[in-house]
Amino acid sequence: MPLRKHRCRFKSYERCFKASEAVNCLHELLGSNQNFGPEVTRDQTVKLLKKFLKNHVIEDIKGRWGKEDFEDDGHLYRFPPSSPLKSYPKKTSCGKEVIKFPDWNEPKAGPSQEHIPVKSVAMYSEMWYKRHSIAIGEVPACKLVFCRELTQTNIEEIWKSMTLSQLQKVLGLDSLDEVLDIKLVKSKHIVQNVYNANKQGIVTLEDKSKELPHWILSAMKCLANWPSCSDLKQPTYSGFERDVFKTIVDYFGQMKEPLLTYHFFDIFVSVLGLLQKPSKAVEALQISCLLLPPENRKRLQLLVRMMAKISLNQDLPPLSESVRTRTLDEIDLDELLAAKLVSFLMDNYQEILSVPSALKSSIEDHVVHLQRVQIKYAGADSDAALPPPSFCHQISTGEFECQRAAGSQEPLAALLEEIVMNKEISVKDKKKKLKQFQKSYPEVYRVRFPTPETEAMLFPEKTKQKPPILMWALKKPLQPFHRTRSFRM
């Protein structure tokens, strides 16, 4: 659509178009498209633009839309500043709340099966006791704990509790409070991510309105299968693949929240400290990705899979000049962290974005255990064979500060050490990076360089020697030899 500056009633409007210009442009486009052809009339084009106005694909210069009052005239219209998709939910601030693991052995309100009337006289009579004590020895007092029906909410809470417990164990933390607000973790999301998936492991969404737009899916499929996407009847002009890539980048770049979400940012930063142990890092990322909303997990699965295929495709030319020509001093520290995480995701995406089988089996076994009829002896715990997982416990402020310093700052300390030990960058770039790191994370920097002397040792000053020619310059020029007369004292 040709966008330019227009004037209307002594006022100018940037990046807009006339209704007649829109009709001309779209009519020409439809006529050259093989799915429509030259038989498309101008009136049909106007009707299509009316649908665009009604569904907020376009709006008038006053921002009005929703009616089919578009006409082939000189009225001014523009594209809305945001996509006409469903808006994303805003970030909500919630207080922290520790969710305790539910105790399913507590008696349920109402009539209990444990109080079924039995002939207690015959069961515990002296004759019965003597007869059976001779045959099988002492019989300890016991009772049957009948299976309790678990609701879907109960099962979801079990999934949440055991998943967070395993994540805490993998990260090596005494508490998740320093990196995660547990109240923001939705148990329903975990269960949906585990059980609602197709054969390829991609999440299937219950709410279809949260699916990626069809045109974005087509663009991602085109690049992932390049150049064997000719069956999609895509244009083949020079630079087409770059335009498709830019379309995908623009779509994901305009999202109000990253796919990993702001709530779980600290969790994923903590995983960076485990990259030296790939198996641990993979398990931690497997569990962390289960916490994401299903629509975010699905988009992450599709996006990372496309990126992995693009990186291995030798037939694709460089898709972005800006990425290829960027230097080290132009990269922000947060971008370095993100780059390390994305690289690890791309290298291990098949494992990371699949459901951890060991965790799934242990939780399912625990649920079956709770639903099974058990014999509980006096003084014994009915769940002794499979104890419930431990969960967060309250700690002092001093312990919390110590854990935060050791846990959340460990990845940053590793990044600082990597900058210090990197011999491939120049001294100038290294000093610039260290100065930027000191400004962003002064506490971590102070631990590595407690005094100016320790920092100066990293860049020892070289003693400058004056070249010999300078020494000659200080001397007087050679004078011709003159015989002098000696005087005796």
Side-chain angles (χ1 to χ4, degrees):
M1 190 71 68
L3 303 179
R4 58 187 181 86
K5 184 177 180 181
H6 287 85
R7 295 186 62 85
C8 179
R9 296 182 180 178
F10 304 102
K11 188 175 181 181
S12 60
Y13 297 91
E14 300 287 344
R15 296 183 59 80
C16 58
F17 51 90
K18 292 182 179 180
S20 57
E21 294 174 343
V23 177
N24 294 336
C25 179
L26 187 57
H27 185 246
E28 181 181 356
L29 179 66
L30 296 177
S32 60
N33 190 286
Q34 59 182 357
N35 296 320
F36 297 94
E39 61 270 17
V40 177
T41 64
R42 192 174 181 86
D43 291 336
Q44 291 174 330
T45 306
V46 172
K47 290 181 180 179
L48 181 57
L49 284 166
K50 288 184 176 181
K51 297 296 182 183
F52 284 179
L53 181 60
K54 181 178 180 181
N55 292 276
H56 205 198
V57 178
I58 60 175
E59 63 183 17
D60 68 9
I61 55 174
K62 300 294 185 181
R64 293 169 296 194
W65 58 278
K67 297 181 180 180
E68 296 187 11
D69 53 356
F70 184 95
E71 297 296 337
D72 189 359
D73 53 21
H75 282 78
L76 297 182
Y77 293 87
R78 65 187 181 191
F79 291 107
S82 59
S83 174
L85 297 174
K86 185 176 180 181
S87 59
Y88 287 91
K90 294 183 178 179
K91 178 181 177 182
T92 57
S93 57
C94 302
K96 293 187 177 180
E97 177 182 343
V98 178
I99 302 178
K100 298 182 179 179
F101 185 82
D103 185 5
W104 308 115
N105 293 324
E106 295 180 357
K108 189 177 180 180
S112 174
Q113 290 177 300
E114 297 183 14
H115 299 89
I116 298 178
V118 295
K119 296 182 179 180
S120 56
V121 177
M123 182 67 74
Y124 295 103
S125 63
E126 184 178 356
M127 184 182 296
W128 182 91
Y129 182 78
K130 288 181 178 180
R131 182 187 305 166
H132 289 79
S133 62
I134 295 173
I136 61 175
E138 294 293 331
V139 180
C142 63
K143 65 176 181 177
L144 286 179
V145 179
F146 290 90
C147 61
R148 178 176 178 180
E149 182 180 357
L150 299 179
T151 64
Q152 181 64 24
T153 303
N154 299 148
I155 296 176
E156 289 174 356
E157 288 301 319
I158 294 174
W159 266 96
K160 175 180 177 179
S161 178
M162 295 188 68
T163 300
L164 294 179
S165 177
Q166 182 64 20
L167 179 60
Q168 177 180 326
K169 179 181 177 181
V170 174
L171 293 177
L173 301 176
D174 294 329
S175 172
L176 290 178
D177 288 341
E178 58 187 276
V179 294
L180 179 65
D181 189 346
I182 300 174
K183 189 176 180 180
L184 299 178
V185 179
K186 296 187 178 181
S187 56
K188 187 176 182 180
H189 289 171
I190 301 176
V191 176
Q192 288 179 350
N193 289 333
V194 171
Y195 292 106
N196 293 3
N198 58 19
K199 295 180 180 180
Q200 290 76 31
I202 306 297
V203 177
T204 56
L205 302 181
E206 296 178 353
D207 187 356
K208 300 303 179 182
S209 65
K210 296 181 180 180
E211 295 277 4
L212 280 173
H214 178 71
W215 55 275
I216 281 291
L217 289 173
S218 299
M220 296 173 69
K221 183 178 179 181
C222 177
L223 286 186
N225 300 320
W226 185 271
S228 59
C229 59
S230 57
D231 56 329
L232 301 177
K233 297 181 180 179
Q234 301 287 356
T236 56
Y237 62 87
S238 176
F240 167 72
E241 63 279 355
R242 287 193 178 189
D243 290 343
V244 175
F245 180 72
K246 185 178 183 302
T247 300
I248 298 173
V249 171
D250 291 343
Y251 176 80
F252 284 98
Q254 70 179 3
M255 295 174 61
K256 296 182 179 179
E257 188 177 40
L259 293 178
L260 300 184
T261 74
Y262 296 118
H263 302 323
F264 304 135
F265 175 79
D266 291 334
I267 281 286
F268 288 98
V269 171
S270 300
V271 176
L272 292 174
L274 301 175
L275 294 185
Q276 303 300 327
K277 303 175 181 178
S279 59
K280 285 284 186 183
V282 167
E283 184 180 1
L285 286 173
Q286 273 185 329
I287 301 174
S288 300
C289 289
L290 285 180
L291 309 182
L292 297 173
E295 59 272 16
N296 288 43
R297 179 178 171 87
K298 181 171 184 176
R299 296 182 180 199
L300 183 65
Q301 288 174 319
L302 296 174
L303 184 61
V304 174
R305 187 172 67 170
M306 181 203 71
M307 293 167 61
K309 289 185 177 181
I310 289 177
S311 64
L312 299 175
N313 192 342
Q314 300 295 331
D315 296 326
L316 268 175
L319 297 176
S320 176
E321 288 291 340
S322 60
V323 174
R324 186 175 62 177
T325 59
R326 295 186 69 181
T327 58
L328 183 65
D329 57 347
E330 293 175 344
I331 301 178
D332 189 73
L333 287 173
D334 289 337
E335 292 186 39
L336 285 176
L337 294 174
K340 291 171 70 71
L341 181 61
V342 171
S343 298
F344 191 80
L345 271 172
M346 291 171 59
D347 294 339
N348 305 274
Y349 76 97
Q350 290 184 336
E351 290 183 84
I352 293 174
L353 296 176
S354 62
V355 178
S357 56
L359 176 64
K360 181 181 178 183
S361 299
S362 64
I363 296 178
E364 289 176 345
D365 291 344
H366 186 71
V367 172
V368 172
H369 175 76
L370 293 175
Q371 294 176 326
R372 186 184 300 126
V373 178
Q374 307 165 35
I375 299 177
K376 185 173 182 179
Y377 294 94
D381 187 3
S382 62
D383 282 338
L386 186 61
S390 59
F391 208 64
C392 303
H393 59 276
Q394 188 174 6
I395 60 175
S396 64
T397 305
E399 290 176 320
F400 171 75
E401 294 297 334
C402 181
Q403 292 175 10
R404 185 182 65 173
S408 61
Q409 295 184 3
E410 182 178 348
L412 298 174
L415 177 62
L416 176 59
E417 194 64 27
E418 183 177 339
I419 297 175
V420 171
M421 302 304 294
N422 193 342
K423 298 181 180 180
E424 297 181 359
I425 60 177
S426 64
V427 175
K428 181 180 178 181
D429 290 338
K430 183 177 291 188
K431 287 183 177 181
K432 189 172 183 179
K433 278 295 170 190
L434 291 175
K435 185 176 181 181
Q436 185 182 6
F437 193 101
Q438 182 183 17
K439 183 179 179 181
S440 302
Y441 309 103
E443 296 181 1
V444 182
Y445 191 87
R446 195 179 302 114
V447 173
R448 179 62 175 82
F449 301 105
T451 62
E453 289 76 13
T454 57
E455 185 178 5
M457 292 175 61
L458 187 61
F459 305 103
E461 295 185 0
K462 297 182 179 179
T463 57
K464 297 183 178 179
Q465 295 183 354
K466 297 180 180 179
I469 191 171
L470 296 178
M471 300 297 295
W472 283 102
L474 295 176
K475 295 182 178 181
K476 295 182 179 180
L478 292 175
Q479 302 291 334
F481 179 77
H482 295 283
R483 191 180 185 93
T484 57
R485 191 176 175 186
S486 60
F487 295 90
R488 293 181 180 179
M489 299 300 295

